[in-house]
Each structure stands twice: as structure tokens, then as C-alpha cells.
Amino acid sequence: MNAPEDHRHGGNGRNGRDRDRANGRAGDGTPLRVLVAGGGIGGLTAALALTRAGHEVTVAERAPRYEPAGAGIVLAANALHVLSALGVDLAPHSLALPSLDVVAADGRLLRRVEPQRAGRGYGPTRALSRTALHTALLDALPPAARPVTGRAVSALHDTGGSVTVRFERTAPAPGGPDPRPSDPKRSDPKGSDPQRSGPEGPDGSGEEAYDLVVGADGIRSTVRAHAAARPPALRHSGVTCWRGLTGNPGVTSAVESWGPGTKTGLVPLPDGRLYYFLVRPAPPRAPAPAWPDAFRRAFARHRGVPARLLDALDGPPPLHHDLEELDTPVWGRGRVLLLGDAAHAMTPNLGQGAAMAIEDAYALALALRDGADGAADRYRALRHRRVRAVQLASRHAGYVTRWRSPLAGAVREAAVRYMPAALQERQYRGLVEPALALVREPLA
């Protein structure tokens, strides 16, 4: 499998348009050839935003194929408005969440959060599976930007006028299946087969040149390692997390339960499913408690629905990860830029990691309106202050939920219960309004 031919530089036969690109003069409306490394939420949204802005985009995804992966996700209004501006309607794939209940471990309601009350026209928060979100984004992509699966960036070199990328193949053989259902109408602008093999090695490796490379390849980004002079260190948050999907026993609204150092969450999804997560303090790479007795003891303080959920599970949650983050955001330099977890991996305490990646994608397309030259500075100016504030707020929220002593727990519960509604609504508007301002700017 290989990128379509018209997504590459053509060696000695470059025309005037290619010379303009090489000289960084694409601000005149000439499309840029862009490689997006990583076909997750941020990468697919970037591909969608960049193609809508008129650029020629190739997405290289390390996984050999798209398969059901991950658990659930909750998207606040800021992410939903950006996706809507890009033509992605998640309403058919998701469940509207009118409220989120924050409860104490014994089941006492501390606060009911109702995001729609914060601003007229914001709309509800929505919950869906990550697989459903990936499918919606893939279906929204134009044919020429379909992901090339089983291909990963192994090295890159920014020459100043273009970026030379070396690939390695991660799938068994080139020419694997289309990540989406086959459609004979899907082809590149020249009518060529996007799946065909090109001038690469027999294993799918090789080099190609692009005007710009976008690293959307996750928290352990290969692109970041090449793009940053001093890549920031990963920071362990002090907790580990289990996640999964199961049948919904009757949960009708999202619930987050705070215990002494532990946290559980339940989120209803469409089709009678339930997304759940469980968080507890642990050092890096600590072994999981033995299932089922030790695991249930670790969360024994949580009563009500969380306890019934643990009793109903017939095995340990399928996904287990230490929660890590980048110490500070890094945006790339020159013609190699970063977004999402590759740029600013953050803890999930505010539920804003994917939302920030979605916003990044739109902002990146805005930064390229004047071409590739100087785009790194324009992109950073659009994103750094916003993302850093969210990253630090999420870090602080995680710190507070880890308090274990009875006195600290009582202070935390009182602060949540007695927070003025106006303050809570102002905080939520602070999350949503910057995204609304972002999408008021046209991409081209």
C-alpha cells in the first residue's frame, strides 16, 4: 500500500507549482502536500480540516487495519462545534448527556453538572464509543485522504523547503485492505488506485517528500522525537486507570464517584452499552490487583452502582494504563508540527484530551493559510496559552481527587458541593468559547 502518486514530489519533473511549494510560497493558494503521521482522533480530524482547506493529505497509520479499539469517550461542546464546522455530525452515533453527577463514594450527590445551562446554543455533551468516533471521522474524509494503514514514520529530515520522510511497514505485506468499506467510486483525483505499490521497497518501506509533516502519533510520538530539539519528558500522574465497555444495567446519566484516593466513572452509551473507568494511586508499571477479590477491595469504598458494576463483571477490565502526560506542550518547528497527545498529552480529569486535539486540527489548518513558512509560530500562537491552561487545570483536578485523608476529603466535598453555580458555568464557558471563536475563522 502506498500514498497516491499525486501526493508525492515527482523527482526531476517538478513543475512551477512544486517549485513554489519548495520555496515556501504556498500562501498564494497552492495546495500543500501534507503527511499526517497517525490516524487517531487528532490525525483524522487534521486530515479532514486540511483537505477542507484545499491541501493534499496522506494519513499514515501504524496499525495494520482499523479495528474496534478503546472504550468510550465524552466530548464537550467545544469539540462538537469544531467537528460540526468540519461537517461531522455525531448525533446519530452518540448519546446526549444532559448532566453529570459527581457523588461521594457513599453515594451522596455532591453536584449535578448541567453543561447546557452555561450558554445558549452550546448543545449537550455527547458520549459514544471511540470506535464510533473513528468511523464517523473516516466516513467524513474525502477519498484521496484515506489512511494508509500498516505504515509508520521511522525517520524524517526537514530540509527547509520540504520534509523527507522514511517509512517502515508494520503490516505483513503492502496492499492491505482499505480501512473503510470498499467503494469503486473512491479513487484519487487522477483515477489511480490509492492502494497500489509505488517506488518503495518490497516491504513497504521507502522515502517520500512532503511540504509539511504533522505528528499525530500519540504520547510516545516518533515524530516528536525528531522534531523537538529537547523533547519534554513524560510525567507520571501518580495513578493508574482501568477502562472498558459492558452492558448497561440501567444507568441513565453519567456518574463520577470520588473516594479516598480512588475514582470511578460510569457513562451510558448508545445501544444499551456502558463505558466505565476506575482510577487508583499506583507507582509506574505496578501490577494490577488480583482479580476478583483484591481488585474489588481496591474500590470497596465506592457503593451503589459502581459496586454493582464490579460485582457484575465476569473478568478484569480489558484496558489498563498508567496515566501519563507531557510535562509541557511542544508544537514542533519548521515544517514538522505536532498535535494532540504528540504535542500535549494530558491527564483525562477534565475530559479534554481529545477535544484539544480536535481544536488543534482546525487551528493547524488556519495557521497554514499563509503557507508553510512561519506556520509553526502561527500555530503555537493560536494554541499554546489555551492548551497549557487546560493541561494545568486537568493536572490540578487530578491532584485534588487523589486526596486520601478524611479531612482532605471533607474539604474537597465541601468545595464541590458549595461552588457557586455561576462560577461553574463561567468555567465551562471558558472551555467552549475559545472553540467557537476558532471556528468563526474560515479555513481558506
Side-chain angles (χ1 to χ4, degrees):
M1 191 180 337
N2 191 21
E5 282 192 349
D6 69 332
H7 287 195
R8 301 188 199 98
H9 287 297
N12 294 327
R14 290 198 305 194
N15 59 24
R17 188 178 72 168
D18 292 329
R19 285 192 297 272
D20 282 347
R21 288 194 185 109
N23 292 329
R25 295 198 300 268
D28 61 357
T30 301
L32 295 169
R33 292 189 180 108
V34 182
L35 172 70
V36 177
I41 294 168
L44 294 178
T45 309
L48 183 56
L50 292 168
T51 54
R52 287 206 156 213
H55 302 296
E56 299 172 3
V57 181
T58 296
V59 180
E61 165 54 39
R62 172 180 291 276
R65 62 187 60 84
Y66 278 94
E67 296 177 330
I73 188 169
V74 176
L75 292 179
N78 57 317
L80 296 172
H81 279 277
V82 175
L83 291 174
S84 178
L86 295 173
V88 180
D89 179 13
L90 292 183
H93 310 279
S94 62
L95 190 68
L97 299 176
S99 66
L100 164 66
D101 288 347
V102 179
V103 302
D106 60 9
R108 288 176 295 114
L109 179 66
L110 300 178
R111 175 165 291 275
R112 175 160 292 162
V113 180
E114 298 174 297
Q116 293 184 82
R117 296 171 61 93
R120 181 177 299 176
Y122 282 2
T125 295
R126 291 192 170 273
L128 68 166
S129 70
R130 286 182 176 264
T131 298
L133 178 54
H134 280 120
T135 299
L137 292 170
L138 284 166
D139 288 344
L141 281 175
R146 77 174 75 184
V148 179
T149 54
R151 214 165 181 225
V153 172
S154 61
L156 54 85
H157 175 59
D158 186 347
T159 67
S162 65
V163 185
T164 302
V165 181
R166 174 164 287 278
F167 293 96
E168 61 181 0
R169 176 156 290 284
T170 59
D178 187 338
R180 299 176 294 190
S182 61
D183 184 342
K185 296 180 181 179
R186 285 181 173 138
S187 60
D188 75 1
K190 291 186 178 180
S192 63
D193 179 5
Q195 305 283 349
R196 72 185 181 187
S197 176
E200 55 193 24
D203 62 349
S205 62
E207 287 188 354
E208 297 179 26
Y210 298 88
D211 300 307
L212 189 85
V213 171
V214 179
D217 50 343
I219 189 170
R220 288 172 172 79
S221 167
T222 299
V223 176
R224 183 179 67 235
H226 289 281
R230 292 183 178 178
L234 285 178
R235 182 179 183 275
H236 186 261
S237 68
V239 299
T240 193
C241 178
W242 291 266
R243 296 174 295 137
L245 300 176
T246 189
N248 190 339
V251 177
T252 57
S253 63
V255 181
E256 192 166 284
S257 173
W258 293 2
T262 58
K263 182 168 64 173
T264 66
L266 306 172
V267 182
L269 300 180
D271 303 322
R273 291 186 298 170
L274 185 76
Y275 164 46
Y276 65 91
F277 60 86
L278 306 106
V279 182
R280 65 169 293 196
R285 296 175 295 282
W291 178 267
D293 294 340
F295 197 95
R296 289 172 178 158
R297 283 197 301 272
F299 295 94
R301 296 288 189 94
H302 296 268
R303 302 172 189 169
V305 177
R308 294 199 299 272
L309 170 71
L310 281 172
D311 289 340
L313 292 178
D314 56 8
L319 301 174
H320 178 207
H321 303 286
D322 290 344
L323 296 185
E324 297 176 307
E325 61 176 334
L326 282 179
D327 190 57
T328 187
V330 56
W331 301 102
R333 54 181 175 169
R335 289 173 176 255
V336 181
L337 306 181
L338 304 167
L339 62 73
D341 282 352
H344 49 69
M346 62 182 66
T347 58
N349 299 294
L350 297 185
Q352 282 288 310
M356 291 297 102
I358 290 166
E359 288 186 17
D360 288 347
Y362 199 96
L364 177 64
L366 291 179
L368 290 172
R369 287 185 299 183
D370 293 327
D373 286 351
D377 291 337
R378 295 190 294 272
Y379 178 49
R380 188 184 192 282
L382 284 169
R383 296 303 293 156
H384 185 77
R385 181 178 297 181
R386 157 77 161 166
V387 171
R388 183 60 168 163
V390 173
Q391 184 186 47
L392 292 177
S394 184
R395 186 179 298 173
H396 176 72
Y399 170 72
V400 170
T401 59
R402 293 200 303 275
W403 290 353
R404 299 192 197 190
S405 75
L407 177 59
V411 170
R412 178 183 63 204
E413 291 178 7
V416 173
R417 176 175 288 178
Y418 297 113
M419 176 190 292
L423 175 59
Q424 176 189 305
E425 291 171 5
R426 185 163 70 247
Q427 289 176 340
Y428 189 70
R429 287 195 297 271
L431 280 178
V432 178
E433 288 295 334
L436 297 182
L438 192 69
V439 298
R440 292 188 194 108
E441 293 289 328
L443 290 179

